[in-house]
Amino acid sequence: LAKTTQPISMDSYEGQEVNITCSHNNIATNDYITWYQQFPSQGPRFIIQGYKTKVTNEVASLFIPADRKSSTLSLPRVSLSDTAVYYCLVGVTNTGGFKTIFGAGTRLFVKA
Amino acid sequence: DSGVTQTPKHLITATGQRVTLRCSPRSGDLSVYWYQQSLDQGLQFLIQYYNGEERAKGNILERFSAQQFPDLHSELNLSSLELGDSALYFCASTPRGTGELFFGEGSRLTVL
């Protein structure tokens, strides 16, 4: 499994765009990049997944450069309720043998 | 509501005891994952099952065991409990062919 590196914490203000970058230098050809959000005492929640270039959904965008050695989760116009831990995972999306290991994540604090 | 059901939500027990945590995956999901999250710690992968078979194992203690039944629900058995086993235990399931994990609300275990 590719090892991931994310900033431990980030601060932002309401209304700003937040970009969280994840490094995964050893990403394999078949690996996908997935981001999760976790609030205290709740299970993580899927945010977005991508393989290359850019993926956008109703809550976030995921930017993946051509070499795929990093990825950036972009949260537009954050609010206080976006304060959470964000995890970047890299691995193969199949049904077996994939441990789905979470790293330490990035703690995002959104201030008023 | 993720569709993953975990019981019990809260459990308080004493050291040396044994408990069983139960997880019902989303309808149609064949994979079940178990995670442990201690206070202010990251998610530790314990074990994964796919259609009744163990597929991947993390740093699961020998005192812990799990199984997935023919109806696809899963149970995590924790025995000879120690104070350090106090944690949130999450179960997650995933549809075939995707890396999107759907987490339950967790079972909070307190060992006194």
Side-chain angles (χ1 to χ4, degrees):
Chain A
L1 283 174
K3 178 181 165 62
T4 61
T5 303
Q6 305 174 232
I8 294 174
S9 66
M10 295 180 67
D11 289 344
S12 182
Y13 289 92
E14 281 190 295
Q16 289 188 332
E17 178 184 75
V18 170
N19 296 309
I20 306 174
T21 297
C22 179
S23 297
H24 29 79
N25 292 321
N26 296 323
I27 190 168
T29 302
N30 294 334
D31 285 345
Y32 281 73
I33 300 156
T34 311
W35 285 81
Y36 289 84
Q37 174 193 57
Q38 186 182 27
F39 298 113
S41 297
Q42 294 185 25
R45 186 181 68 172
F46 172 91
I47 301 174
I48 199 166
Q49 183 180 79
Y51 182 79
K52 62 180 179 181
T53 63
K54 176 184 175 182
V55 180
T56 297
N57 62 22
E58 63 276 9
V59 298
S61 294
L62 179 59
F63 298 91
I64 306 169
D67 66 5
R68 305 200 327 122
K69 293 183 183 299
S70 67
S71 59
T72 299
L73 174 72
S74 181
L75 305 172
R77 299 180 297 282
V78 294
S79 63
L80 295 176
S81 63
D82 292 317
T83 293
V85 179
Y86 292 82
Y87 296 96
C88 162
L89 277 72
V90 175
V92 178
T93 60
N94 58 30
T95 53
F98 178 38
K99 295 184 181 181
T100 320
I101 294 176
F102 286 74
T106 298
R107 291 182 179 271
L108 172 66
F109 296 95
V110 180
K111 306 172 188 176
Chain B
D1 182 5
S2 68
V4 177
T5 304
Q6 290 188 248
T7 57
K9 286 186 168 41
H10 301 275
L11 189 56
I12 301 175
T13 189
T15 55
Q17 295 298 303
R18 172 190 171 95
V19 298
T20 297
L21 308 180
R22 182 187 169 103
C23 170
S24 294
R26 296 186 333 143
S27 176
D29 288 355
L30 301 179
S31 279
V32 169
Y33 300 73
W34 285 98
Y35 291 87
Q36 178 194 54
Q37 188 169 41
S38 302
L39 188 63
D40 290 332
Q41 298 296 311
L43 287 150
Q44 299 298 315
F45 169 74
L46 295 178
I47 199 163
Q48 178 206 357
Y49 282 85
Y50 175 74
N51 202 21
E53 295 185 2
E54 181 185 306
R55 280 300 180 93
K57 213 167 191 176
N59 296 323
I60 187 168
L61 299 172
E62 287 190 8
R63 300 183 286 109
F64 296 0
S65 64
Q67 55 183 325
Q68 187 179 27
F69 294 87
D71 67 353
L72 300 178
H73 91 271
S74 178
E75 292 182 357
L76 179 66
N77 301 297
L78 315 175
S79 61
S80 302
L81 286 168
E82 302 175 359
L83 296 178
D85 297 327
S86 295
L88 261 171
Y89 290 85
F90 289 106
C91 167
S93 71
T94 183
R96 181 186 177 91
T98 82
E100 182 174 350
L101 291 167
F102 292 85
F103 281 81
E105 294 184 354
S107 293
R108 182 175 294 280
L109 173 65
T110 302
V111 182
L112 300 176

